[in-house]
Amino acid sequence: MDRFSLSVHPAAVRDATLVVVSGPDGAPAKVRFGPQANLDDMPVQSVLLSAEVDWGGAANPLVAALPELVELDVTGDRETTGLILLMQSELLGQRCGSGSVVNRLGEVLIVRLLRAQIEAGTTRTGLLAGLSDPRLSRAIVAMHDTPGRDWRNEDLAQIAGLSLSRFAGMFLKMVGETPAAYLRRWRLTLARQDVLRGDRVDSIARRYGYHSPEGFARAFKKHYGETPVSIRPRPAA
């Protein structure tokens, strides 16, 4: 996921996708994270901090994988509570570099939220559900790390430590698509980024395991409805 940027910026509650709510004692009690939801349905006086999370574009596979609303009880969680209080201090202090500090702390808070979802195994079918299983997670990470490799189900099953039939069945059930379909979509997601960056189409095709630029262009158009050449930035005159 390193190809996608994640940034967290202060925002009014009506615009926020990340909100921390206090308990009766005024201490952080609950984190509400709604990547696709509106969180302005709570008393403003109970909100300790609110922010907007930018996932670096809708192409980030985590956006589709996340549930509409994530809630995490942080009562008694000293580490997360300390993180939240430090964010609040930076927001209120408005010191030099506060924006950068809040952004980094916000990233850590989001990672902790996602980790809690994965470890709890409460995620719906999709990428996070696959990552919640240590065996499937190894296979998914391998595809992410080397998307251009000619991955076979047998290779991925071996990495996962599962039989071929068990791996294929678990992957389809938890991720919602076959390993080949997931890899194809991941490759095209990365390829679109590279096209928009101005990389050569033939180089991108080789990078992601396509046998020819023409084959890559056909797959790209089938997935996105437009050709790589049509969206590639034109060289400056």
Side-chain angles (χ1 to χ4, degrees):
M1 298 300 173
D2 293 341
R3 292 285 297 270
F4 297 93
S5 60
L6 171 65
S7 58
V8 181
H9 307 286
V13 175
R14 65 178 179 276
D15 301 318
T17 52
L18 175 68
V19 171
V20 178
V21 183
S22 65
D25 60 354
K30 184 177 293 185
V31 179
R32 300 186 72 194
F33 177 47
Q36 304 168 48
N38 189 310
L39 300 180
D40 63 358
D41 60 342
M42 63 191 74
V44 175
Q45 60 269 24
S46 68
V47 175
L48 289 179
L49 64 87
S50 55
E52 182 179 9
V53 181
D54 181 357
W55 291 91
N60 190 329
L62 280 176
V63 175
L66 289 167
E68 185 173 295
L69 179 65
V70 177
E71 289 191 329
L72 179 65
D73 187 344
V74 297
T75 306
D77 184 343
R78 296 176 60 185
E79 291 183 351
T80 304
T81 298
L83 179 64
I84 292 167
L85 292 176
L86 185 53
M87 286 181 67
Q88 186 183 34
S89 173
E90 289 291 335
L91 285 169
L92 294 175
Q94 291 295 308
R95 294 182 289 272
C96 178
S98 288
S100 296
V101 173
V102 169
N103 184 35
R104 295 305 180 198
L105 293 174
E107 289 179 12
V108 176
L109 181 58
I110 293 297
V111 169
R112 292 182 72 90
L113 278 170
L114 295 179
R115 186 184 295 163
Q117 286 285 298
I118 291 171
E119 291 176 351
T122 57
T123 51
R124 64 188 181 187
T125 300
L127 176 58
L128 286 186
L131 291 173
S132 70
D133 185 283
R135 297 161 296 182
L136 294 184
S137 178
R138 290 195 292 269
I140 292 171
V141 169
M143 286 189 280
H144 283 189
D145 286 346
T146 52
R149 176 174 167 177
D150 184 19
W151 287 109
R152 302 177 305 158
N153 277 3
E154 291 86 351
D155 302 324
L156 295 168
Q158 185 175 22
I159 290 172
L162 296 166
S163 69
L164 178 58
S165 59
R166 177 70 170 153
F167 168 73
M170 283 183 62
F171 198 100
L172 179 60
K173 179 180 179 181
M174 298 190 72
V175 181
E177 57 189 333
T178 66
Y182 180 83
L183 177 61
R184 181 166 55 250
R185 187 162 54 84
W186 176 240
R187 284 173 170 172
L188 288 169
T189 296
L190 299 179
R192 183 178 177 86
Q193 284 190 319
D194 294 351
V195 170
L196 293 173
R197 190 173 59 194
D199 290 4
R200 291 173 55 90
V201 172
D202 56 346
S203 298
I204 298 172
R206 288 194 300 271
R207 188 176 302 151
Y208 297 116
Y210 290 91
H211 297 300
S212 68
E214 294 77 16
F216 164 63
R218 286 193 297 271
F220 193 96
K221 184 173 183 180
K222 182 178 180 180
H223 188 75
Y224 290 112
E226 53 192 355
T227 65
V229 173
S230 69
I231 67 168
R232 186 172 180 266
R234 298 184 182 278

